[in-house]
Every structure is written in structure tokens, then in C-alpha cells.
Amino acid sequence: MAHASVTPGEMSSLAHDEHTHPGPGLYVKIGLALFVLTALEVGVYEVAFEHPGNALGTALRSVFVPVILLLSACKFALVAMYYMHLKQDGKLLSGVFIFGLILAALIIVGLMLLMAYHHAFARLH
């Protein structure tokens, strides 16, 4: 079996074509951002539900779910982009991932609506 030889010039062009991955410093920064976002989620819960007499807690209770979903979406995006390396992947692979994510979200929302409809219909009869 013959091996193809690669010249040093071809080697440098092959290395240049590869995607560059972030260094350890960026991963530490992302880890800290994830920690801060998680702390915000816990803080929002604590203020909204553990201190019932607080005016801020009362206001947060009305928007609790959207705030938690927004913070969770930010954490998911950071993990998907950097730890799953979607930021360095091609657009096609990212598109396949996003398509599957949107499809799963639509199915979940559809099932939630179906269950809500079923529950409301069962109460009438």
C-alpha cells in the first residue's frame, strides 16, 4: 500500500484550512458566564417565591417563566456554540442542528396545546 507524501507547503495549507478552536481562556470565560446565568436563575426564583411580601418578588412572579426561559436559552446557546463546537462547524451542520431543535420545540408546544385542550374538554363533560 503506497502512502501519499505531503509537502511542507501542502501541510501548512491543510493546517490553515482547519477551524481554529478557542483557547482555554475563552472556555473559562464561558464557564463564568454560565455560572452567572445560573446564579441569576436561582436569584430570580428566590426573589419571586421565597420572599412573598417583597414588591420586586410580586412583579417577578408575573414574568417568572419567560425570564427563566430566556436565561436558559442563553445558557443553551453558549453551550451549543462553544462546548458543542457549533460555532466552528459549517453552516450546514449548524442548520441541521437548529432545524431539529425547532422541530422538537414545535412538537413540544403542540403536545402542550393538545393536553390543554384535552384537559379543558374533559372539564366540560
Side-chain angles (χ1 to χ4, degrees):
M1 187 180 256
H3 294 287
S5 62
V6 179
T7 65
E10 291 172 338
M11 195 66 144
S12 67
S13 71
L14 287 174
H16 184 14
D17 289 341
E18 291 181 14
H19 298 290
T20 58
H21 291 282
L26 184 61
Y27 285 115
V28 170
K29 289 176 186 174
I30 293 167
L32 288 172
L34 292 170
F35 174 78
V36 168
L37 289 171
T38 302
L40 283 172
E41 286 176 336
V42 172
V44 166
Y45 174 80
E46 287 291 324
V47 170
F49 294 105
E50 296 300 320
H51 304 289
N54 190 350
L56 179 61
T58 304
L60 271 178
R61 253 180 264 136
S62 63
V63 293
F64 176 74
V65 172
V67 168
I68 291 296
L69 287 176
L70 179 67
L71 291 170
S72 296
C74 291
K75 287 173 30 177
F76 174 78
L78 282 173
V79 168
M81 284 191 311
Y82 291 101
Y83 292 115
M84 293 173 61
H85 305 290
L86 284 180
K87 191 158 175 78
Q88 291 85 22
D89 280 344
K91 298 292 182 196
L92 177 64
L93 292 175
S94 296
V96 168
F97 179 78
I98 298 295
F99 174 75
L101 185 65
I102 291 171
L103 185 62
L106 289 174
I107 289 171
I108 290 170
V109 169
L111 288 172
M112 290 171 63
L113 291 172
L114 182 64
M115 290 297 123
Y117 173 77
H118 176 72
H119 182 66
F121 185 75
R123 291 172 112 185
L124 293 175
H125 297 310

